[in-house]
Structure formats: C-alpha cells, structure tokens
Amino acid sequence: MVPSSLTKEQEDRVLGFIRSLKIPGFTFRDAVRILDLDSDARRGLQRFLDALDSQGIIRRVKRGRYAVSARENLVSGILSCHRDGYGFLLPDDRTQFKDDIFIPARNMEDALHEDRVLVRVAAKRYPRRSPRGGRNRGEEERNRLEGAVVRVLERRHPTVVGRYHEHIRFPYVEPLDTRILYDIRIPYHAAKGAREGQIVVAAMTLLPARNQIPQGEITEILGYPGDPGIEYRIVEHQFVLPVDFSPEALRESGELPGRVLKEEWEGREDFREEIAVTIDGETARDFDDAISLKKIPSGHYLLGVHIADVSHYVREYTAIDSEAYERGTSVYFPDRAIPMLPPKLSSGICSLQPGADRLVLSALMEIDPEGKVVRKRFVEGVLRSQERMTYTSVAAILVDRDREERARYAPLVPLFETMEELCLILSRKRYQRGAVDFDLPEAEIQFSESGKILRVVPAERNISHRIVEEFMLLANECVAERLTSSGGPALYRVHEAPDPLKVEEFAAFAGTLGYKLDKQDGQYRPKAFQKFVLP
C-alpha cells in the first residue's frame, strides 16, 4: 500500500529542518534528502509542504522551490493556558526568545493546556509602566511578543480528568483543570455506566477545532467527590504519574539480595561503628540519608553525610534504570509516596533503616570552629544507622529539654547537642556571606485513619529542620566544588540573578512605604536584601 502521508516523526523532522536553515529557502529535493524518503513517500511530503504553504509557514515561489522568509518568527514550546481562554508559550529555546509569548484566545486553534506547539510570533510595542501604575514619560518602549498557534507538535494529556454530567441530550465531562478550556461531549454508548457528578477519566476521540466540540469516551470511573483516597487517584491521572512498575523492573528488583552481602564491602570504608542517625518527618517511609558527627582532638568537627548508594544496585540500561529515568523522581503526598524505584529498593536495600547494614556514598568534611571546611573527601562505604529519628523528637530533646525524650535517647543526646552547635556556626557563616533566610510558614495536612482530611495546620520549622538543611547544603557545596575542580561535565541547579528592572520597581515600591534598599557599587547585593528583611 502506498503511504498517503508522512509520519508525525517525519513531519517534525521537516519542521526542524526548516527552522534550522541558514539560508532563506530550500528545494523539494533538499527535504527529500534530509528525510531520506523513498519514492512512495514523496507524495506525502509534497502534501505536507502544501499544507505548510497554506498555513504561511513557508511560501512556494516556483515549482519545487520554497522561501522561508519568516522562519525566524517560528518558535516551539509548551503552551500554558488560562481559564479565560488565552495562554502563554514557554519557548523551548530561551536564547531566541527570553520572554514568554502571549497567545490570544482567537489564536489558540485546537491547542490544549501543556501541549507542545509551534507558534508564529509577531512583536507588538507597549509602553512600559512605572511601579505606581502610570506610564513613564520619555522611557523606551519594550517589545511585547504575541503569537498564534500554527500546529500542535505533541499532545500532553492523552486523557482528561473531570466531572461527568448526565445531560438529557449531550452528556459531557467538565475538566477539573480549568485551564483545559473545553467540555468533552460523551456519547451515551461511551459513558461506561458513569453517573451524575462522578469523577471520571475521559480519552478524547475527536479533538477541538474552531467549529468542532471535542468528543470522548470514559476510560475509568474514579468515584464520587469525597470518597476516601480519590484525591490521590485524581492527581495520578491528571499528571500521568506511573504508579505500577513494569514486570521487567519488578523481576530485576526481585533478583537483588535482601541484605548487604559481605563481598560487597570489599574496598569500602567501614562506618558501622560510627554513631549515625537518620532524621525525617513522622510519615517518612524511605530513609535516603544519614548524618554522623563528632569532635576530633584538633577541636574541629568531623561531619559525615551518608547517602544510600543506589548506583550499586541500579545498573545502566536495565529495566529499573529506564523506568527510574522516565519517572525522574519520587512523588510525595502528605501521607504516602509514589517511589522512583521498586519497593525492594526504595523501602528495602536502599533505605538506611536502623540496625541494618547498608551501602552508602559518604561526604566527610572536617570543619573548624569558624565554620570553614579545612578538609573533605568522598568515599564509598558501608553504614549501620543507630536510630530513626524524627524532627519532633530531636526538637523535644534540644528545645523543649523533654525529660522522657532525653532519657529515651540518652546515648544520642551528646550527638544532637553537637549537631546544634555546628548548625549555628554554619548558619552564622552563611549569614555573614549575605544569605537571606525566608522562614516562611508551610502547611501540614492531618488525616484520620480512614484517609479523610481533619485539619490543615502550620508546619513547625525548628532547630532539627535547620540542622538537616545546613548539613545537606554544606555537603552539596563541597560536592559542587569537587565537580568543578575535576574539569568534567556536571549539572547544577542555579538561582539566576533577579531582573534588574523588577528589582528597581521593588525598591521604588518599598520606598513608598518608607523602606530603603541600599546599593553597593551601583548594584543591589544580597546583604541589602538581608538588611531589608531583617532590619
């Protein structure tokens, strides 16, 4: 059978070829050569080029030759919609377009929230407004980018979670995410027994268009609002979170040992006699890191941050590795989690459970009384955690001086007191560097035994949280320094400098309230914000 059209992958390759051109035109033969098409598929290429011509992406100047005079105005990215109908494109390439691109409702075409789309961009000019809301006379105008969706490159949501309504003529699903701008009509035969008001999962069988209402079918009925645990099922489907592991990954994890084998210790440093503990929240199930600390004869502190050595068990290109790559991270809910690794790893051999031998990667840092790291090294080791501690228990020991808790953990009390001592030294050193500690309140959700939400209360952040934060931050800094000095490639998450215009606007606004943000050498430094927050 002769192919009548290109595959989506081939179409994307054509678009990529057009966007990458350094010259203002190309020929039909150029596209054939890039795609390496056989003669039967060339008819589909011609139809696709004709469609791009009709959409204004390219312009046919003569037989077999096309102009791409507006190629610099085409950009791909992720579409973020607003419930009022308009949206913004978050460009894939921030070197070409640094700002998000406004998409009016009339230019959305059939694109949906979080789809990856191709947009034609036009620049419009708007006067920049002053921080007080008026226009600044004499200031330069800045470009405001506006675009129109040309093509949907990739659909983000194969299904939509919503509330089913039993309309007498046209049953439909109302999406729970208001940024999905269409109700989905459900034919009676595709309702699968759903009832009025139930939360369902619907797959679209007919996509929206200018004069076309989307249509779909029910693939799963989650239940009624208020049913125990339904919130988790909604989130899992809305964000397409993989809950179950593949049979291959489970088979591989099942073949792993249930305990650390003696032959695995070979070449590793033995920390099993060190006093090390994990400190986590009450609901934590996986214990990824442990802390050891002691004072040495020089008067310095020897801090150890020990991380479960997952890489020893998860080998590259295995099913477990591939599935972990797809998941990217574990997903944590208030009272449960969807782990990145199968349970035998996440809750077993890679969990630093008290009294169990576990393989670790350890950062060992010698710190002087001023908080300076004078020596550091990184080793593979084997560790036996002494105790599984909670933030609440450590705070009761250090802050409340609770007699029962101090008696219960008597052998560990000196360790926690030394941790507090070093934590305050490190915190003071960071403050001197200009760090700003935004100690903002967080929410804690409390549940009944049946999973119902009882109340939402402010989460307490105490010295035990600060201890863990300071020690992990120091370990990360030491690792980053080692990676930088090695000369090899490394990934970092960085906080970019704030937009100078926004800082100036904030300084002007603060001035109207009687506050002053001081400059140093013509620039706002971290210490200026520190002084502003903590006068």
Side-chain angles (χ1 to χ4, degrees), residues 72 107 141 174 193 221 277 286 323 360 365 396 420 432 532:
E72 69 277 2
N107 292 340
E141 292 183 340
E174 176 189 4
I221 299 172
V277 297
D286 308 331
E323 191 147 343
V360 292
M365 297 153 284
E420 180 180 24
Q432 291 169 354
F532 178 82

Side-chain angles (χ1 to χ4, degrees), residues 96-359:
Q96 183 183 11
F97 296 96
K98 294 183 178 180
D99 296 326
D100 297 341
I101 299 162
F102 176 68
I103 313 293
R106 65 181 183 277
N107 292 340
M108 295 287 284
E109 296 298 333
D110 64 340
L112 299 173
H113 178 60
E114 293 187 337
D115 283 349
R116 186 166 172 270
V117 298
L118 187 69
V119 164
R120 183 186 299 109
V121 179
K124 292 194 173 183
R125 305 182 72 84
Y126 290 90
R128 185 168 56 196
R129 296 185 179 273
S130 70
R132 299 182 184 180
R135 294 185 179 179
N136 292 333
R137 187 175 299 175
E139 286 191 5
E140 293 182 0
E141 292 183 340
R142 58 192 282 190
N143 285 333
R144 167 69 180 273
L145 297 178
E146 183 177 299
V149 173
V150 172
R151 181 181 181 83
V152 175
L153 300 176
E154 183 179 345
R155 292 288 181 185
R156 171 67 177 85
H157 297 285
T159 58
V160 174
V161 180
R163 193 186 305 268
Y164 180 74
H165 293 284
E166 294 179 317
H167 191 275
I168 191 170
R169 294 183 59 194
F170 304 112
Y172 66 95
V173 170
E174 176 189 4
L176 296 183
D177 189 341
T178 57
R179 294 170 297 183
I180 297 176
L181 307 175
Y182 304 91
D183 292 337
I184 302 167
R185 185 178 294 175
I186 305 295
Y188 284 107
H189 69 273
K192 305 292 178 65
R195 300 300 182 189
E196 172 66 32
Q198 284 186 320
I199 306 300
V200 300
V201 181
M204 277 190 281
T205 56
L206 188 64
L207 294 171
R210 283 191 179 274
N211 299 306
Q212 179 172 286
I213 298 173
Q215 186 169 295
E217 62 179 3
I218 305 298
T219 59
E220 189 172 350
I221 299 172
L222 303 184
Y224 287 100
D227 286 352
I230 193 171
E231 297 89 352
Y232 299 105
R233 301 192 67 196
I234 289 173
V235 171
E236 289 163 6
H237 283 86
Q238 277 190 322
F239 294 95
V240 199
L241 300 178
V243 177
D244 299 321
F245 288 91
S246 67
E248 294 79 9
L250 292 175
R251 178 184 56 77
E252 288 180 358
S253 67
E255 295 172 353
L256 294 172
R259 59 184 178 84
V260 175
L261 304 178
K262 193 168 183 178
E263 53 265 30
E264 295 177 307
W265 300 355
E266 186 176 350
R268 289 178 175 264
E269 195 158 333
D270 193 343
F271 298 109
R272 290 178 300 157
E273 299 303 318
E274 295 286 340
I275 301 177
V277 297
T278 61
I279 306 177
D280 296 279
E282 276 77 6
T283 60
R285 290 172 173 79
D286 308 331
F287 311 113
D288 307 316
D289 46 68
I291 300 168
S292 63
L293 179 65
K294 62 183 177 182
K295 277 192 172 181
I296 55 181
S298 64
H300 293 178
Y301 301 88
L302 183 59
L303 171 65
V305 174
H306 311 272
I307 309 297
D309 188 359
V310 176
S311 62
H312 179 82
Y313 299 101
V314 181
R315 300 301 185 182
E316 199 171 10
Y317 306 122
T318 60
I320 297 175
D321 177 55
S322 298
E323 191 147 343
Y325 180 85
E326 290 297 324
R327 292 173 181 239
T329 182
S330 298
V331 178
Y332 293 95
F333 296 102
D335 65 339
R336 66 190 71 183
I338 301 176
M340 184 174 69
L341 299 171
K344 189 169 183 179
L345 286 158
S346 60
S347 301
I349 197 68
C350 291
S351 183
L352 306 184
Q353 300 162 346
D357 294 342
R358 293 291 185 256
L359 303 184

